[in-house]
């Protein structure tokens, strides 16, 4: 059964509101601590999204069938929507944008409710004085928010493209 790109995208949005495991669509606290080191996944560092789906346990499969039925979708389309949502979440969590100058730097992820936030104020920033520093912080936060939204919108377009390509295979 073929479905339109719009119905699968709508299903992704509906799934995001129904499932409590979603982290890209829920409010969470801001993390401000700076890690002492950073690791990134590479081709040897984990399975990633391209790994074959492992066998599901029967209980989880029944839950997925029930959710698909509740949304009037075939199970394979529901799985496609869940996969697309998971890829979108991971992309938003891993994306980093930064903004600021004059001794103030703000770095954040692409989530609407930021999970990663790092603010750096250098000695030059401290020398600006309270009023100028506040002005620079506001400008840096505003710029980083706009960049984050643009990045998130780009990732959403990639998700829709992925859904379109994969739905042709169904």
């Amino acid at each position: 059964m073929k479905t339109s790109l719009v119905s699968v995208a709508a299903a992704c949005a509906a799934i995001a509101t129904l499932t409590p495991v979603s982290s890209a669509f829920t409010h969470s606290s801001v993390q401000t601590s700076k890690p002492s080191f950073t690791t990134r996944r590479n081709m040897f560092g984990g399975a990633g999204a391209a790994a074959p789906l492992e066998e599901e346990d029967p209980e989880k499969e029944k839950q997925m069938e029930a959710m698909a039925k509740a949304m009037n979708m075939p199970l394979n389309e529901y799985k496609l929507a869940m996969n697309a949502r998971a890829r979108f979440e991971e992309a938003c969590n891993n994306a980093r944008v930064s903004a600021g100058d004059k001794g103030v730097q703000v770095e954040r992820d692409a989530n609407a409710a930021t999970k990663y936030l790092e603010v750096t104020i250098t000695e030059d920033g401290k020398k600006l004085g309270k009023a100028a520093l506040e002005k620079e912080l506001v400008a840096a936060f505003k710029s980083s928010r706009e960049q984050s939204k643009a990045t998130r919108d780009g990732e959403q377009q990639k998700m829709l493209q992925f859904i379109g390509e994969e739905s042709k295979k169904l």
Side-chain angles (χ1 to χ4, degrees):
M1 173 183 213
K2 298 285 182 180
T3 58
S4 69
L5 180 63
V6 175
S7 65
V8 174
C12 284
I15 291 167
T17 60
L18 293 175
T19 56
V21 270
S22 174
S23 58
F25 302 103
T26 59
H27 180 68
S28 62
S29 63
V30 176
Q31 299 175 0
T32 58
S33 63
K34 184 175 179 179
S36 59
F37 61 90
T38 303
T39 59
R40 293 203 180 257
R41 293 184 182 160
N42 57 24
M43 62 189 254
F44 302 109
L53 295 174
E54 296 179 12
E55 291 297 319
E56 301 285 335
D57 63 0
E59 184 64 31
K60 190 171 183 182
E61 191 72 23
K62 286 180 184 178
Q63 288 176 349
M64 290 177 72
E65 287 175 5
M67 290 294 291
K69 186 177 180 181
M71 293 173 30
N72 201 20
M73 294 176 69
L75 183 60
N76 59 353
E77 291 175 8
Y78 177 80
K79 286 182 178 180
L80 171 62
M82 293 296 291
N83 186 10
R85 181 185 61 87
R87 291 166 55 110
F88 176 72
E89 279 184 42
E90 183 177 0
C92 287
N93 288 336
N94 293 335
R96 296 289 184 261
V97 296
S98 61
D101 56 349
K102 298 183 183 176
V104 175
Q105 187 75 24
V106 174
E107 184 179 5
R108 63 177 286 171
D109 60 17
N111 288 305
T114 304
K115 293 181 180 179
Y116 173 84
L117 177 64
E118 183 176 334
V119 178
T120 306
I121 300 173
T122 64
E123 290 300 320
D124 291 336
K126 292 176 185 177
K127 290 178 185 177
L128 292 174
K130 182 180 178 182
L133 179 59
E134 287 176 356
K135 184 177 177 183
E136 289 300 318
L137 278 169
V138 169
F141 274 112
K142 182 178 179 182
S143 178
S144 70
R145 185 185 71 229
E146 291 167 356
Q147 289 178 30
S148 175
K149 183 177 181 342
T151 301
R152 190 171 49 256
D153 290 345
E155 292 300 332
Q156 188 172 19
Q157 291 302 316
K158 289 178 188 176
M159 178 183 71
L160 293 174
Q161 184 179 22
F162 171 76
I163 291 171
E165 291 169 359
E166 292 297 313
S167 64
K168 291 176 186 176
K169 297 175 186 177
L170 295 178

